[in-house]
Amino acid sequence: MNRTIDILKIIYALFYLVIGLRGIVAYLGLMPTPNFDMSDPARQFQNALAATGFVMEIVSAVFFVAGTLMLFKRTTPLGLILLAPLVVVILFNHLMLQGSAIWGVSHAVLLAVFAWSYRDAFSSLWNYSADR
């Protein structure tokens, strides 16, 4: 795999690991909840998720686990699979609610680049025989 992609993957993984850890620590009450600059519709969406009492905690845990998994070559594909649905939400949050397409698109494009780099790991998903 290309060294540049490896370095980008580590940065991407560390970003999600740290964001997840920060969320976990905040929800444990050990530090204030992160207050990101966002539009009113995006804040309403995030507040609705937080009001469930479990969604943001799960999101933080998945960010942490997926970021950790992506740090290791053997477990990177699983990390990508876990992160993919959340990156889709991030993409549409930035496109539809934030008006900052560059951030959402960059998260999605990087995930797609990493998935393509590990495409051989996913081949059994497409070549699975129902006869098993």
Side-chain angles (χ1 to χ4, degrees), residues 5-29:
I5 291 175
D6 283 340
I7 292 168
L8 284 173
K9 182 182 70 99
I10 290 169
I11 293 168
Y12 191 83
L14 288 172
F15 170 79
Y16 281 106
L17 187 151
V18 169
I19 291 295
L21 184 60
R22 187 174 177 190
I24 291 166
V25 170
Y27 294 117
L28 291 174

Side-chain angles (χ1 to χ4, degrees), residues 16-82:
Y16 281 106
L17 187 151
V18 169
I19 291 295
L21 184 60
R22 187 174 177 190
I24 291 166
V25 170
Y27 294 117
L28 291 174
L30 302 174
M31 69 178 278
T33 302
N35 188 14
F36 300 107
D37 184 34
M38 59 182 79
S39 68
D40 286 337
R43 184 164 312 284
Q44 290 171 3
F45 176 64
Q46 185 161 345
N47 288 342
L49 294 176
T52 65
F54 67 91
V55 172
M56 296 308 289
E57 290 83 349
I58 291 172
V59 168
S60 294
V62 171
F63 280 165
F64 178 78
V65 170
T68 302
L69 289 170
M70 286 182 64
L71 290 176
F72 305 98
K73 187 173 185 173
R74 182 176 181 87
T75 57
T76 292
L78 180 56
L80 293 170
I81 287 171
L82 290 175

